[in-house]
Amino acid sequence: MIPPPFDYVRASSIDEAVKALSEDPNAKVLAGGQSLIPLLKLRAVAPSKLVDIGRLKELRYVRQAGDGLAIGALATHAELERWSGPCGVLPEAARQIGDPQIRSVGTIGGSLAHADPAADWPAVVLALDAVVKARGPSGVREIPAEEFFQGPYSTALQQGEIVVEISIPRCPPKASYVKIARAYNDFAIAGVAAAVWVKDGAVEDVRLAATGVGLKPVRLKKAEEAVRGRKISGDLLTEVAEAASKEVEPVSDVRASAEYRRAMAGVAARRAVRRALGL
Amino acid sequence: MRIKVKVNGVWYERDVEPRKLLVHFLRDDLGIKSVRVGCDTGNCGACTVLLDGKPVKSCNLLAVQADGSEIITADYSDELMERLKRAFHERHALQCGFCTSGMLLASYALLKNKPKPTEEEIREGISGVLCRCTGYQNIVEAIKSAAL
């Protein structure tokens, strides 16, 4: 399959990329291309211009920042897989994305901007309360993950804006990402990221976020309510599973029926909390 | 657009259309037919090459993205690659051979980074290449025997 023709601009700076994007409403950003190129080949999209930001080395980093992390938009899944610092949920999640070849090239910023409703990173950044930094014609805008995802393949990014950094304010002491899929390299039927803070044998605070079980990644606020402040026990895991299943609104597609996704949202939530707590 | 790539140690300079996929550039422009187009959807890994040492799917990259990079295909020869090819031959790690280029390159990348992988690491390392003949057993055996 051959992509449709397009103009190609290789950006040598973020500003140059923003300018090229701002001038043309039908231009698209090319980062790693692991989501965009398959769509081009299927002719599902036909951008007038691709603005290639893949060579902007200044956007390729993962580093500690205060109690959290700053991740450059062009950090690849493979680079995050090898990250050995705080926020160990990042390598845990990265390992579950696609396969080694996809992970060599695909980027976290690209994945978030693409906003596939079954992608893995969106659930993880929601659970980590991350902020997406976007650079546009009028400078840098900080968009909380909660506001970033608006629907299938739809984000809060405006014309000419590029994701430049993902900022995680504080790494949770315990976190895990569990993905249930048909095959090793497939998209999630359900994926749940859990961040848990424990105090005196009880759940002091918790953030749960799910992917693959709705039109966009969602916080599982009812499941969080079910466990926040509770003593850690087996019953807790049962309740988190039930609450998560009840509150998601999945749709049926080629991968799974809505009913099965609903059931798997509960299973993924239970496993994610269990794994985060080390039970 | 004019691009330069080093493939198996040789620099090539060519004009390409920006929409040309890397796999078509390697096969049609450079005549390197060991790089296969399998599923053409980024799933099967038959088009796998090493780009600056990293395994990538060349049907899922534009040739312009590889500008200035070093590429290795299954035609490449060094001590490790020869060891792998011999092991694939001795262990009957192929039947139809269509996935073999991808398997060789995925396992080459794996052994470069992890000279002594566990079976699980081997299976993960080749998880992005689909074989529809062997059931993977002999491929895993071959990679095990090629490991130091």
Side-chain angles (χ1 to χ4, degrees):
Chain A
M1 296 181 286
I2 315 278
F6 48 78
D7 290 332
Y8 174 80
V9 178
R10 182 181 293 163
S12 52
S13 71
I14 303 170
D15 287 342
E16 187 192 333
V18 168
K19 190 168 174 294
L21 278 172
S22 310
E23 288 165 352
D24 184 347
N26 298 317
K28 268 196 161 310
V29 179
L30 173 67
Q34 298 308 281
S35 300
L36 177 58
I37 292 169
L39 290 176
L40 287 168
K41 287 166 69 178
L42 292 165
R43 307 243 167 162
V45 291
S48 53
K49 187 196 291 178
L50 286 193
V51 180
D52 186 354
I53 60 167
R55 290 168 193 257
L56 301 178
K57 287 202 169 55
E58 63 266 40
L59 294 180
R60 267 183 95 156
Y61 56 86
V62 187
R63 56 174 178 248
Q64 292 189 46
D67 295 332
L69 295 182
I71 306 167
L74 293 182
T76 62
H77 311 316
E79 284 158 355
L80 286 155
E81 197 181 352
R82 291 193 294 267
W83 171 250
S84 55
C87 275
V89 66
L90 293 171
E92 183 193 14
R95 268 194 298 279
Q96 298 178 65
I97 297 171
D99 52 45
Q101 293 96 313
I102 303 283
R103 296 198 290 270
S104 294
V105 188
T107 65
I108 186 169
S111 169
L112 296 179
H114 182 60
D116 188 303
D120 302 295
W121 285 129
V124 177
V125 299
L126 266 179
L128 294 175
D129 205 15
V131 174
V132 179
K133 289 184 183 171
R135 177 96 72 91
S138 46
V140 175
R141 198 158 66 95
E142 300 201 348
I143 310 161
E146 297 267 356
E147 294 161 27
F148 185 78
F149 304 102
Q150 299 193 337
Y153 312 102
S154 165
T155 69
L157 289 172
Q158 291 162 359
Q159 165 91 39
E161 282 188 329
I162 298 173
V163 175
V164 288
E165 186 179 275
I166 296 90
S167 158
I168 296 163
R170 51 175 191 151
C171 287
K174 297 169 184 293
S176 185
Y177 175 67
V178 169
K179 170 179 177 173
I180 292 169
R182 297 178 305 175
Y184 181 82
N185 63 352
D186 201 5
F187 277 94
I189 287 170
V192 172
V196 191
W197 288 261
V198 174
K199 198 175 174 182
D200 306 329
V203 176
E204 185 186 20
D205 196 12
V206 58
R207 289 177 64 93
L208 299 171
T211 188
V213 287
L215 297 175
K216 59 179 189 182
V218 286
R219 276 276 302 282
L220 301 174
K221 292 191 176 169
K222 291 204 171 74
E224 290 174 9
E225 296 285 304
V227 295
R228 197 176 279 114
R230 296 272 311 277
K231 273 235 159 315
I232 293 165
S233 70
D235 291 349
L236 190 89
L237 296 174
T238 309
E239 286 172 43
V240 90
E242 280 173 7
S245 278
K246 276 203 192 95
E247 74 178 293
V248 294
E249 293 170 4
V251 289
S252 297
D253 67 3
V254 294
R255 286 190 175 82
S257 66
E259 188 188 10
Y260 185 59
R261 283 182 188 277
R262 184 180 292 285
M264 289 308 106
V267 173
R270 184 174 64 228
R271 288 183 189 171
V273 172
R274 192 174 63 204
R275 209 189 281 176
L277 291 171
L279 297 175
Chain B
M1 177 171 168
R2 196 143 187 87
I3 63 167
K4 263 178 85 169
V5 288
K6 192 178 184 181
V7 186
N8 302 326
V10 181
W11 281 101
Y12 298 87
E13 200 171 335
R14 296 282 190 280
D15 281 316
V16 293
E17 237 191 307
R19 64 167 162 167
K20 187 178 279 258
L21 299 170
L22 180 58
V23 67
H24 296 144
F25 174 73
L26 293 168
R27 286 179 59 83
D28 304 340
D29 297 26
L30 303 186
I32 299 168
K33 302 290 189 188
S34 69
V35 189
R36 319 261 183 236
V37 178
C39 67
D40 205 10
T41 58
N43 281 292
C44 79
C47 65
T48 298
V49 300
L50 301 190
L51 185 74
D52 296 325
K54 299 188 298 275
V56 301
K57 290 177 176 173
S58 61
C59 86
N60 218 11
L61 280 170
L62 302 170
V64 288
Q65 286 175 284
D67 186 16
S69 293
E70 293 196 21
I71 293 170
I72 286 177
T73 72
D75 312 270
Y76 184 70
S77 176
D78 67 358
E79 192 274 330
L80 173 58
M81 186 61 95
E82 292 309 313
R83 215 178 334 129
L84 273 165
K85 287 176 181 173
R86 207 165 39 247
F88 270 58
H89 172 94
E90 284 167 0
R91 304 277 164 157
H92 298 286
L94 55 142
Q95 286 180 30
C96 85
F98 201 81
C99 75
T100 308
S101 297
M103 284 293 179
L104 282 168
L105 290 156
S107 46
Y108 181 97
L110 172 75
L111 294 184
K112 268 273 188 217
N113 292 317
K114 286 186 186 144
K116 282 175 121 68
T118 62
E119 173 156 338
E120 192 181 355
E121 285 168 338
I122 292 174
R123 288 182 181 273
E124 280 190 358
I126 60 169
S127 63
V129 189
L130 300 180
C131 172
R132 286 294 174 252
C133 302
T134 68
Y136 302 99
Q137 200 55 37
N138 287 355
I139 297 171
V140 173
E141 295 293 329
I143 298 166
K144 254 188 221 169
S145 77
L148 292 169

